[in-house]
Amino acid sequence: MSSVNQVYIAVIGAGGVGRHFISQLSVLSHKVPNISLVLISRSTKSLRASHRTTPLSLETWEKDLEASTSPALTVDQTLKFLQELPDKRVLIDNTSSQDVADAYPAFLNHGISVVTPNKKAFSSSLDLWHSIHESSYRPYDPYLGRGLLYHESSVGAGLPIISTLKDLIDTGDTVRRIEGVFSGTMSFLFNNFAPVDGKGGKWSAEVRKAKEAGFTEPDPRDDLNGVDVARKLVILARLVGLQVQSTESFPVQSLIPVELEGAESGEVFMERLGEFDKQMDEVKNEAVLEGKVVRFVGSVDVGRRALKVGLEKLDKAHPIAGLEGSDNIVSFYTERYGDHPLVVRGAGAGGAVTAMGVTADLIKVIQRVS
């Protein structure tokens, strides 16, 4: 097949999500034969195709990358490498790197499409948000030189949250409120700590269970501080049109005991967390006395321009109360949907489902550039 027809793909980040993505890309390549994987770069090394007509192997890439002696490419080197290829180039950023996110406008302005689950690109500075979107192709803009931008997996892994919100907005609906559980980690914790049936274990034991199951970051404080949920709310709020400056612009409740905020490591934090179980028991018992359950909820009140992240006491019949496992749930209250919201629910965490969202976004890019 002529190189003109190829879609050249560069992957930054080949760990949890990246590994699943390349596996899904291998499956996709049997249906879409014009895919050419030309670069894989991780924190310490990289693997590049030596010639545009000879892409990297989707079957032996792990072994080939392990054997590579080429250092990791810088962001500038990655941009230069892709600039030297024909049109139809896609950067897949599976990292959470701020440096890579900061460079999105440069890639997009050079006609390189970007697909990513990187939340930092869309929830850090408002200036970067505007720069990214001003640099990306828009269907109503006649200038075709910019790259396409998709980031479904930056909120809710593979769940169609961003695309649903965009569809509502683009078809003229008015979004009044967005509410939900946006963290698979927090969902797992509270579904086990404060289930509807009133049972549940000690808070520290549930955090340890979540950590051992791989639902938390290596240091659980990175989940319990609420910032991950706040980032997702910022993204959704900005898509609705709210000019939210940062995650520090609204209340974000941290579940880290003040005494443990400065713990020297995640291990020390976990060793001492049991000392503060009583605090969380009191929160749970207070909800039980009211016939409710406690959940970690994020919300955007569009009319009031108010965002909030933290613990909420909910009736047992509330859709959020009935979540299971690590499921996420997002409810869109709009003019069309009124008091009966449009609800998106499902697995909101994990490498495979996050990669699915990335792969699905890549398919959209291929469909538009081929």
Side-chain angles (χ1 to χ4, degrees):
M1 181 175 289
S2 168
S3 64
V4 174
N5 297 319
Q6 296 296 292
V7 177
Y8 297 95
I9 300 171
V11 177
I12 302 180
V17 173
R19 184 176 292 108
H20 284 288
F21 166 74
I22 297 175
S23 175
Q24 293 173 21
L25 186 65
S26 179
V27 174
L28 180 64
S29 69
H30 298 297
K31 303 175 183 177
V32 185
N34 61 329
I35 292 172
S36 289
L37 179 62
V38 294
L39 169 68
I40 303 174
S41 184
R42 57 169 42 149
S43 58
T44 57
K45 57 177 58 181
S46 64
L47 185 66
R48 279 177 278 184
S50 58
H51 194 274
R52 69 177 59 162
T53 60
T54 309
L56 301 176
S57 170
L58 289 165
E59 308 302 325
T60 64
W61 71 270
E62 286 192 84
K63 180 181 68 177
D64 297 339
L65 180 60
E66 189 61 34
S68 173
T69 57
S70 299
L73 268 64
T74 66
V75 176
D76 288 342
Q77 289 171 330
T78 302
L79 176 59
K80 184 175 184 298
F81 175 75
L82 287 174
Q83 281 182 268
E84 294 171 353
L85 294 170
D87 290 338
K88 303 175 184 178
R89 300 150 295 174
V90 187
L91 173 72
I92 308 291
D93 174 23
N94 291 316
T95 74
S96 59
S97 166
Q98 186 68 59
D99 289 340
V100 179
D102 289 342
Y104 287 176
F107 283 93
L108 293 164
N109 277 319
H110 283 92
I112 299 166
S113 296
V114 174
V115 173
T116 182
N118 189 343
K119 290 184 285 292
K120 291 180 181 177
F122 312 101
S123 62
S124 53
S125 80
L126 192 56
D127 286 343
L128 178 60
W129 166 270
H130 288 306
S131 179
I132 289 172
H133 286 277
E134 288 167 1
S135 302
S136 63
Y137 170 77
R138 286 158 289 180
Y140 312 113
D141 190 327
Y143 179 58
L144 303 178
R146 299 187 181 104
L148 298 164
L149 171 68
Y150 287 95
H151 59 103
E152 184 72 77
S153 290
S154 64
V155 179
L159 294 177
I161 294 172
I162 287 178
S163 56
T164 297
L165 179 58
K166 285 185 174 181
D167 286 346
L168 290 168
I169 296 169
D170 290 345
T171 57
D173 202 353
T174 299
V175 180
R176 294 170 175 162
R177 183 161 57 94
I178 304 170
E179 177 186 74
V181 171
F182 294 88
S183 164
T185 301
M186 292 299 199
S187 181
F188 181 86
L189 284 173
F190 282 94
N191 293 340
N192 287 280
F193 169 67
V196 174
D197 64 14
K199 299 178 182 177
K202 290 293 183 181
W203 177 248
S204 60
E206 297 301 341
V207 174
R208 184 171 299 280
K209 186 191 302 181
K211 185 176 187 298
E212 292 172 351
F215 286 117
T216 74
E217 295 295 329
D219 187 337
R221 285 175 294 182
D222 293 335
D223 297 289
L224 299 178
N225 62 15
V227 174
D228 177 68
V229 175
R231 287 189 182 280
K232 295 170 185 177
L233 282 193
V234 169
I235 295 170
L236 297 180
R238 287 175 174 176
L239 286 170
V240 172
L242 302 185
Q243 301 298 296
V244 183
Q245 289 294 328
S246 72
T247 58
E248 297 179 357
S249 303
F250 54 94
V252 178
Q253 183 177 2
S254 172
L255 300 186
I256 302 172
V258 175
E259 297 87 343
L260 298 184
E261 288 178 349
E264 60 190 44
S265 68
E267 289 72 22
V268 172
F269 170 77
M270 288 303 302
E271 287 174 3
R272 294 195 56 199
L273 185 59
E275 299 172 19
F276 304 90
D277 279 342
K278 184 179 178 181
Q279 295 178 6
M280 290 301 292
D281 281 340
E282 290 174 352
V283 172
K284 176 169 67 173
N285 293 335
E286 182 179 293
V288 170
L289 289 174
E290 297 178 24
K292 298 181 178 182
V293 295
V294 63
R295 296 289 183 266
F296 198 79
V297 178
S299 63
V300 179
D301 187 320
V302 181
R304 294 178 55 242
R305 300 179 177 271
L307 287 71
K308 183 173 64 171
V309 174
L311 296 174
E312 299 277 354
K313 290 182 287 186
L314 303 170
D315 291 332
K316 293 181 179 181
H318 195 287
I320 290 177
L323 283 182
E324 298 178 351
S326 60
D327 279 5
N328 283 186
I329 185 170
V330 180
S331 299
F332 296 101
Y333 294 84
T334 75
E335 183 177 341
R336 289 185 191 138
Y337 285 91
D339 294 328
H340 301 282
L342 189 161
V343 177
V344 179
R345 173 180 172 173
V353 292
T354 301
M356 185 208 76
V358 175
T359 305
D361 277 349
L362 173 62
I363 292 171
K364 294 171 185 173
V365 171
I366 293 172
Q367 290 171 336
R368 292 180 64 178
V369 304
S370 297

